[in-house]
Amino acid sequence: MKNKYRVFSILIITITCIAAGLFYFTLAEKVGTIYVDNTAKAINDIKQTFLKHTVNNQIRRIEERREEETSRMEALVKETERKLYFIAESASGQFVPIFEKTFDDEKWTAVLWDVGSGEVLFDSGGISTDWPVSSLPDEGEKFAAHCSWSYGRYSAFFGISKEYSDGLVKKAIAREIHESTFPFDSYIWVNEVVNYEGGPDYAIRRIHPNLKDTEGMLLSTEMTDIEGNLPYLEELEGVKKDGEIFFTYFFKKKNCDIVARKLTYARLYKDFNWIVALGIYMDDMQPYIDKAKAESHALILQLIALFIFVLVSLLILTYALVVVSEKWFHKRSMDALEEKVNRDPVSDALSRRAGEEALRNAFSRGFDDPGNPAIVTFDIDDFKRINDMYGHDAGDHVLKRIVTVIRKHIRTTDHLFRWGGDEFLLLYRGLKPENIMRVCQNLLDAVSADVHSLGGGQETVSLSMGVTYFRETDTDYPDALKRADIALYKSKVNGKNQANIEL
């Protein structure tokens, strides 16, 4: 009986082990199948996400480039407008030849006419033949930046076309795409649609890093791949319907003659009629699937190890996040403290401490343009009278107001520092000596034209300025400051509300 019990026990244990083994292997096989299917789907989803995000980022880069180029063109037009006023005031007898020379460039469209007679004196783009000079367009989609200008007997219209600006963007984007590298032997290409109805010559191959020699060739929606698919037709119909499309077809791999199935995402950038696309080959998916299948049999045992690993990892990550957060908050606190130290609390200009550091850095860079900045010191004429008559609060108001006015007339790369009392310092990097006095005069005019409401009355103030640059004989930046103070003193002695320069 005892032996029978032992045999029965062994049999039960054996059956239990076999059942557990069969359950384990069945479960492992089932998990493996799910794992393989999910792996294949995940890889495909990752590839689609990669394709879509990369193309969308490229289109976003095109838009950023256009915005940057438009801003650059607007700045150029504004600067040119300021130059024209200066020329009209200082060299009116040579205004027309200088105007012609200024706009004798392919990027400009410009017309100049005599207001009295209506005679067109210069027309670089032939626009006066399309519109009478008395009603030239002052805005429109044709120009990236433009200006209508008048002074005395002359009136002008000038601008830079969107076609020119977008042409620069297209060239820059083409270079960018050619120089870009992506994983999985992928690359971005661009086709420009010329006929949305399709057919022969429906598009031009604009950018194609894999087939550079064919850039500029005409494409047809009747072209097929080795399987007889019509990828260009499918792409065109997709972007016409939804603006974007995922599709597959067969195409030659980069840097070899192997033809393989390719998953592609294409999106239409309507402003340029560009179809921006990125593809990735699908034949590299099988090794990942095979590897996933082989590893699936050990998945159940790995789950425990994975759980422990994840738990430990989470503890480590939590600790790391706490440390990083502390460092981040500490850095923010230090940055805020640094900003407070470097900012004058009364005028909101940068502090003298920040100015001395900027001068030291500028002096250490050397004296060649643009490293040698224009150094402008100035103070407020008769500022003591303001304080004595209206009080120090009114004086503080004047300081703040002057800082606000000056900031409107300097570049973001220029820096304004309060040196002490009513004394200030300006640093103009890259501004040549032949231009600095005109810039200073603009500041003098702006400040003196500003009206201050103080104690029920109204006051205007003026500035006296001293200008200099670093010399090779300077031993340090205070040498230059001494020259600027000498020039400032000359401005005071000669009647105030002016600027003098000591080179």
Side-chain angles (χ1 to χ4, degrees), residues 398-413:
V398 171
L399 293 175
K400 293 178 182 178
R401 182 63 188 171
I402 288 176
V403 168
T404 300
V405 171
I406 289 178
R407 278 180 177 161
K408 292 179 180 179
H409 291 81
I410 62 176
R411 304 165 299 184
T412 56
T413 55

PDB file of all heavy atoms in Angstrom, residues 398-413:
ATOM      1  N   VAL A 398      12.569 110.704 -14.673  1.00  0.00           N
ATOM      2  CA  VAL A 398      13.286 111.139 -15.877  1.00  0.00           C
ATOM      3  C   VAL A 398      14.321 110.094 -16.293  1.00  0.00           C
ATOM      4  O   VAL A 398      14.470 109.777 -17.475  1.00  0.00           O
ATOM      5  CB  VAL A 398      13.948 112.510 -15.634  1.00  0.00           C
ATOM      6  CG1 VAL A 398      14.884 112.863 -16.796  1.00  0.00           C
ATOM      7  CG2 VAL A 398      12.892 113.585 -15.468  1.00  0.00           C
ATOM      8  N   LEU A 399      15.037 109.549 -15.313  1.00  0.00           N
ATOM      9  CA  LEU A 399      16.034 108.507 -15.627  1.00  0.00           C
ATOM     10  C   LEU A 399      15.387 107.313 -16.316  1.00  0.00           C
ATOM     11  O   LEU A 399      15.873 106.812 -17.335  1.00  0.00           O
ATOM     12  CB  LEU A 399      16.729 108.055 -14.341  1.00  0.00           C
ATOM     13  CG  LEU A 399      17.632 109.072 -13.637  1.00  0.00           C
ATOM     14  CD1 LEU A 399      18.134 108.504 -12.334  1.00  0.00           C
ATOM     15  CD2 LEU A 399      18.790 109.480 -14.533  1.00  0.00           C
ATOM     16  N   LYS A 400      14.278 106.836 -15.739  1.00  0.00           N
ATOM     17  CA  LYS A 400      13.584 105.684 -16.329  1.00  0.00           C
ATOM     18  C   LYS A 400      13.086 106.011 -17.731  1.00  0.00           C
ATOM     19  O   LYS A 400      13.189 105.192 -18.654  1.00  0.00           O
ATOM     20  CB  LYS A 400      12.398 105.273 -15.457  1.00  0.00           C
ATOM     21  CG  LYS A 400      12.777 104.700 -14.102  1.00  0.00           C
ATOM     22  CD  LYS A 400      11.530 104.370 -13.285  1.00  0.00           C
ATOM     23  CE  LYS A 400      11.896 103.854 -11.910  1.00  0.00           C
ATOM     24  NZ  LYS A 400      10.692 103.574 -11.079  1.00  0.00           N
ATOM     25  N   ARG A 401      12.529 107.212 -17.886  1.00  0.00           N
ATOM     26  CA  ARG A 401      11.965 107.583 -19.184  1.00  0.00           C
ATOM     27  C   ARG A 401      13.050 107.668 -20.252  1.00  0.00           C
ATOM     28  O   ARG A 401      12.863 107.224 -21.395  1.00  0.00           O
ATOM     29  CB  ARG A 401      11.240 108.931 -19.052  1.00  0.00           C
ATOM     30  CG  ARG A 401      10.574 109.403 -20.331  1.00  0.00           C
ATOM     31  CD  ARG A 401       9.492 108.454 -20.774  1.00  0.00           C
ATOM     32  NE  ARG A 401       8.984 108.814 -22.083  1.00  0.00           N
ATOM     33  CZ  ARG A 401       8.160 108.091 -22.795  1.00  0.00           C
ATOM     34  NH1 ARG A 401       7.741 106.914 -22.323  1.00  0.00           N
ATOM     35  NH2 ARG A 401       7.731 108.490 -23.975  1.00  0.00           N
ATOM     36  N   ILE A 402      14.209 108.232 -19.915  1.00  0.00           N
ATOM     37  CA  ILE A 402      15.309 108.336 -20.883  1.00  0.00           C
ATOM     38  C   ILE A 402      15.799 106.947 -21.287  1.00  0.00           C
ATOM     39  O   ILE A 402      16.072 106.681 -22.461  1.00  0.00           O
ATOM     40  CB  ILE A 402      16.453 109.186 -20.296  1.00  0.00           C
ATOM     41  CG1 ILE A 402      16.024 110.657 -20.252  1.00  0.00           C
ATOM     42  CG2 ILE A 402      17.736 109.021 -21.116  1.00  0.00           C
ATOM     43  CD1 ILE A 402      17.012 111.576 -19.602  1.00  0.00           C
ATOM     44  N   VAL A 403      15.890 106.029 -20.316  1.00  0.00           N
ATOM     45  CA  VAL A 403      16.300 104.650 -20.635  1.00  0.00           C
ATOM     46  C   VAL A 403      15.300 104.015 -21.599  1.00  0.00           C
ATOM     47  O   VAL A 403      15.673 103.348 -22.569  1.00  0.00           O
ATOM     48  CB  VAL A 403      16.424 103.814 -19.349  1.00  0.00           C
ATOM     49  CG1 VAL A 403      16.555 102.323 -19.681  1.00  0.00           C
ATOM     50  CG2 VAL A 403      17.624 104.275 -18.536  1.00  0.00           C
ATOM     51  N   THR A 404      14.012 104.244 -21.355  1.00  0.00           N
ATOM     52  CA  THR A 404      12.977 103.687 -22.237  1.00  0.00           C
ATOM     53  C   THR A 404      13.101 104.239 -23.651  1.00  0.00           C
ATOM     54  O   THR A 404      13.024 103.496 -24.639  1.00  0.00           O
ATOM     55  CB  THR A 404      11.580 104.014 -21.682  1.00  0.00           C
ATOM     56  OG1 THR A 404      11.449 103.445 -20.379  1.00  0.00           O
ATOM     57  CG2 THR A 404      10.496 103.447 -22.588  1.00  0.00           C
ATOM     58  N   VAL A 405      13.296 105.561 -23.777  1.00  0.00           N
ATOM     59  CA  VAL A 405      13.414 106.183 -25.097  1.00  0.00           C
ATOM     60  C   VAL A 405      14.641 105.656 -25.837  1.00  0.00           C
ATOM     61  O   VAL A 405      14.576 105.324 -27.028  1.00  0.00           O
ATOM     62  CB  VAL A 405      13.486 107.718 -24.948  1.00  0.00           C
ATOM     63  CG1 VAL A 405      13.842 108.372 -26.280  1.00  0.00           C
ATOM     64  CG2 VAL A 405      12.160 108.255 -24.430  1.00  0.00           C
ATOM     65  N   ILE A 406      15.770 105.577 -25.139  1.00  0.00           N
ATOM     66  CA  ILE A 406      17.014 105.130 -25.796  1.00  0.00           C
ATOM     67  C   ILE A 406      16.894 103.684 -26.254  1.00  0.00           C
ATOM     68  O   ILE A 406      17.349 103.315 -27.340  1.00  0.00           O
ATOM     69  CB  ILE A 406      18.207 105.327 -24.845  1.00  0.00           C
ATOM     70  CG1 ILE A 406      18.505 106.819 -24.709  1.00  0.00           C
ATOM     71  CG2 ILE A 406      19.435 104.571 -25.350  1.00  0.00           C
ATOM     72  CD1 ILE A 406      19.625 107.151 -23.770  1.00  0.00           C
ATOM     73  N   ARG A 407      16.256 102.839 -25.440  1.00  0.00           N
ATOM     74  CA  ARG A 407      16.122 101.433 -25.837  1.00  0.00           C
ATOM     75  C   ARG A 407      15.335 101.272 -27.138  1.00  0.00           C
ATOM     76  O   ARG A 407      15.535 100.325 -27.878  1.00  0.00           O
ATOM     77  CB  ARG A 407      15.435 100.639 -24.730  1.00  0.00           C
ATOM     78  CG  ARG A 407      16.391 100.223 -23.619  1.00  0.00           C
ATOM     79  CD  ARG A 407      15.657  99.447 -22.561  1.00  0.00           C
ATOM     80  NE  ARG A 407      16.566  98.970 -21.527  1.00  0.00           N
ATOM     81  CZ  ARG A 407      16.184  98.587 -20.319  1.00  0.00           C
ATOM     82  NH1 ARG A 407      14.892  98.630 -19.993  1.00  0.00           N
ATOM     83  NH2 ARG A 407      17.063  98.166 -19.432  1.00  0.00           N
ATOM     84  N   LYS A 408      14.430 102.207 -27.404  1.00  0.00           N
ATOM     85  CA  LYS A 408      13.658 102.138 -28.638  1.00  0.00           C
ATOM     86  C   LYS A 408      14.506 102.476 -29.863  1.00  0.00           C
ATOM     87  O   LYS A 408      14.098 102.194 -30.994  1.00  0.00           O
ATOM     88  CB  LYS A 408      12.471 103.099 -28.575  1.00  0.00           C
ATOM     89  CG  LYS A 408      11.401 102.694 -27.567  1.00  0.00           C
ATOM     90  CD  LYS A 408      10.268 103.704 -27.539  1.00  0.00           C
ATOM     91  CE  LYS A 408       9.189 103.300 -26.532  1.00  0.00           C
ATOM     92  NZ  LYS A 408       8.093 104.299 -26.485  1.00  0.00           N
ATOM     93  N   HIS A 409      15.660 103.082 -29.654  1.00  0.00           N
ATOM     94  CA  HIS A 409      16.486 103.540 -30.771  1.00  0.00           C
ATOM     95  C   HIS A 409      17.829 102.821 -30.853  1.00  0.00           C
ATOM     96  O   HIS A 409      18.719 103.245 -31.612  1.00  0.00           O
ATOM     97  CB  HIS A 409      16.731 105.049 -30.643  1.00  0.00           C
ATOM     98  CG  HIS A 409      15.501 105.873 -30.878  1.00  0.00           C
ATOM     99  ND1 HIS A 409      14.549 106.060 -29.890  1.00  0.00           N
ATOM    100  CD2 HIS A 409      15.046 106.533 -31.979  1.00  0.00           C
ATOM    101  CE1 HIS A 409      13.574 106.810 -30.367  1.00  0.00           C
ATOM    102  NE2 HIS A 409      13.847 107.116 -31.622  1.00  0.00           N
ATOM    103  N   ILE A 410      18.007 101.745 -30.098  1.00  0.00           N
ATOM    104  CA  ILE A 410      19.233 100.951 -30.220  1.00  0.00           C
ATOM    105  C   ILE A 410      18.872  99.512 -30.553  1.00  0.00           C
ATOM    106  O   ILE A 410      17.729  99.096 -30.396  1.00  0.00           O
ATOM    107  CB  ILE A 410      20.073 101.004 -28.921  1.00  0.00           C
ATOM    108  CG1 ILE A 410      19.306 100.402 -27.736  1.00  0.00           C
ATOM    109  CG2 ILE A 410      20.516 102.432 -28.633  1.00  0.00           C
ATOM    110  CD1 ILE A 410      20.107 100.342 -26.449  1.00  0.00           C
ATOM    111  N   ARG A 411      19.859  98.782 -31.005  1.00  0.00           N
ATOM    112  CA  ARG A 411      19.648  97.393 -31.398  1.00  0.00           C
ATOM    113  C   ARG A 411      19.651  96.488 -30.164  1.00  0.00           C
ATOM    114  O   ARG A 411      20.111  96.887 -29.096  1.00  0.00           O
ATOM    115  CB  ARG A 411      20.752  96.937 -32.367  1.00  0.00           C
ATOM    116  CG  ARG A 411      20.883  97.813 -33.604  1.00  0.00           C
ATOM    117  CD  ARG A 411      22.187  97.547 -34.331  1.00  0.00           C
ATOM    118  NE  ARG A 411      23.337  97.850 -33.485  1.00  0.00           N
ATOM    119  CZ  ARG A 411      24.596  97.774 -33.886  1.00  0.00           C
ATOM    120  NH1 ARG A 411      24.878  97.385 -35.116  1.00  0.00           N
ATOM    121  NH2 ARG A 411      25.592  98.060 -33.060  1.00  0.00           N
ATOM    122  N   THR A 412      19.159  95.286 -30.358  1.00  0.00           N
ATOM    123  CA  THR A 412      19.172  94.324 -29.252  1.00  0.00           C
ATOM    124  C   THR A 412      20.593  93.903 -28.902  1.00  0.00           C
ATOM    125  O   THR A 412      20.836  93.406 -27.806  1.00  0.00           O
ATOM    126  CB  THR A 412      18.350  93.065 -29.622  1.00  0.00           C
ATOM    127  OG1 THR A 412      18.870  92.500 -30.836  1.00  0.00           O
ATOM    128  CG2 THR A 412      16.891  93.423 -29.811  1.00  0.00           C
ATOM    129  N   THR A 413      21.532  94.075 -29.830  1.00  0.00           N
ATOM    130  CA  THR A 413      22.930  93.725 -29.568  1.00  0.00           C
ATOM    131  C   THR A 413      23.690  94.855 -28.875  1.00  0.00           C
ATOM    132  O   THR A 413      24.837  94.663 -28.480  1.00  0.00           O
ATOM    133  CB  THR A 413      23.637  93.362 -30.883  1.00  0.00           C
ATOM    134  OG1 THR A 413      23.481  94.453 -31.810  1.00  0.00           O
ATOM    135  CG2 THR A 413      23.042  92.101 -31.481  1.00  0.00           C
TER     136      THR A 413
END
